[in-house]
């Protein structure tokens, strides 16, 4: 790994460590640089600002998530896996969510789309579904997933909500397959 990549990795790790302890809006570039032993210029060489660092980190985590779960067989599994990831990083997630920054919500929006798109690519790999129907599927499930995650976070990531999420998943089981079936039957 190149020195530049090692530095970026150290910056992200320092940021995560601090984010575990402090709300996002209380973290400074100085906190990060002191934690990982670099100067401010080095930080700014790699990242424009803390929101850019956060977006890069969230995108990396989304990619890692997709690699960890490359063959999710249902939207239910996507939501369950995403909730498990969020639960294992609860303090970090709540610090990000409670910062109230629009860019953080935008990042979550893009992550939801990224995960659903990867899932759709797997589900529709062999299905003769039109591009427009596939995009509608992605849009709908991105919005639903985003809404469920925001609702859960607004409730402080309460563990009781996980049971509700599992019940929602049970109630809608088979809906993705039904969308494919309906789209194909209209041809």
């Amino acid at each position: 790994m190149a020195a530049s990549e090692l530095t970026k990795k150290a910056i992200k790790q320092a940021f995560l460590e601090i984010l575990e302890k402090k709300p996002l809006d209380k973290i400074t570039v100085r906190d990060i640089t002191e934690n990982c032993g670099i100067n401010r210029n080095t930080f700014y060489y790699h990242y424009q600002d803390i929101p850019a660092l956060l977006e890069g980190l969230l995108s990396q985590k989304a990619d890692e998530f997709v690699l960890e779960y490359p063959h999710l067989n249902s939207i239910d599994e996507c939501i369950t896996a995403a909730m498990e990831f969020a639960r294992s990083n609860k303090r970090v997630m709540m610090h990000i969510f409670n910062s109230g920054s629009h860019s953080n919500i935008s990042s979550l929006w893009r992550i939801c789309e990224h995960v659903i798109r990867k899932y759709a690519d797997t589900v529709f790999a062999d299905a003769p579904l039109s591009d427009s129907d596939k995009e509608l599927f992605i849009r709908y499930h991105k919005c639903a997933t985003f809404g469920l995650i925001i609702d859960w976070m607004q409730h402080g990531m309460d563990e009781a909500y996980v049971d509700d999420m599992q019940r929602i998943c049970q109630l809608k089981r088979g809906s993705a397959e039904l969308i494919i079936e309906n789209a194909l039957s209209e041809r």
Side-chain angles (χ1 to χ4, degrees):
M1 186 178 291
S4 179
E5 289 302 312
L6 288 173
T7 302
K8 284 178 84 168
K9 185 176 179 180
I11 291 170
K12 287 177 184 176
Q13 185 58 42
F15 180 58
L16 274 175
E17 289 171 10
I18 297 165
L19 193 53
E20 183 71 36
K21 300 171 191 163
K22 290 173 84 170
L24 178 62
D25 53 358
K26 302 290 185 213
I27 298 174
T28 65
V29 171
R30 183 179 186 173
D31 293 332
I32 297 166
T33 58
E34 286 178 358
N35 184 288
C36 65
I38 62 170
N39 63 42
R40 292 175 64 81
N41 288 338
T42 302
F43 176 89
Y44 287 114
Y45 175 79
H46 294 286
Y47 298 100
Q48 178 181 353
D49 52 21
I50 291 177
L53 168 59
L54 177 62
E55 185 161 337
L57 179 66
L58 291 175
S59 293
Q60 174 191 328
K61 292 297 181 186
D63 289 341
E64 290 171 3
F65 176 84
V66 169
L67 288 174
E68 186 176 342
Y69 299 96
H71 302 292
L72 294 170
N73 295 315
S74 67
I75 292 293
D76 309 359
E77 288 181 22
C78 288
I79 292 171
T80 301
M83 288 181 74
E84 285 302 316
F85 172 79
R87 286 165 75 190
S88 67
N89 298 285
K90 183 176 181 175
R91 290 181 63 128
V92 169
M93 296 296 289
M94 290 307 296
H95 281 155
I96 292 169
F97 179 74
N98 289 326
S99 74
S101 170
H102 176 72
S103 65
N104 300 336
I105 299 300
S106 296
S107 294
L108 178 58
W109 180 254
R110 283 190 298 278
I111 288 168
C112 287
E113 179 173 4
H114 181 74
V115 170
I116 296 300
R117 187 168 297 283
K118 289 291 187 180
Y119 166 71
D121 288 345
T122 301
V123 169
F124 301 133
D126 297 325
L129 199 64
S130 72
D131 289 342
S132 62
D133 283 345
K134 180 180 174 184
E135 288 303 314
L136 287 173
F137 176 91
I138 291 168
R139 185 186 316 160
Y140 171 79
H141 285 89
K142 169 186 65 177
C143 292
T145 302
F146 179 81
L148 290 169
I149 291 171
I150 292 295
D151 190 46
W152 180 44
M153 293 182 86
Q154 286 177 332
H155 288 91
M157 296 174 72
D158 183 3
E159 287 299 313
Y161 197 82
V162 175
D163 293 336
D164 291 344
M165 292 295 299
Q166 289 172 341
R167 181 63 182 147
I168 289 169
C169 288
Q170 288 173 345
L171 292 172
K172 60 181 245 17
R173 189 163 288 136
S175 63
E177 293 78 8
L178 185 58
I179 288 170
I180 295 169
E181 183 180 316
N182 287 340
L184 296 177
S185 70
E186 292 175 356
R187 290 188 172 178

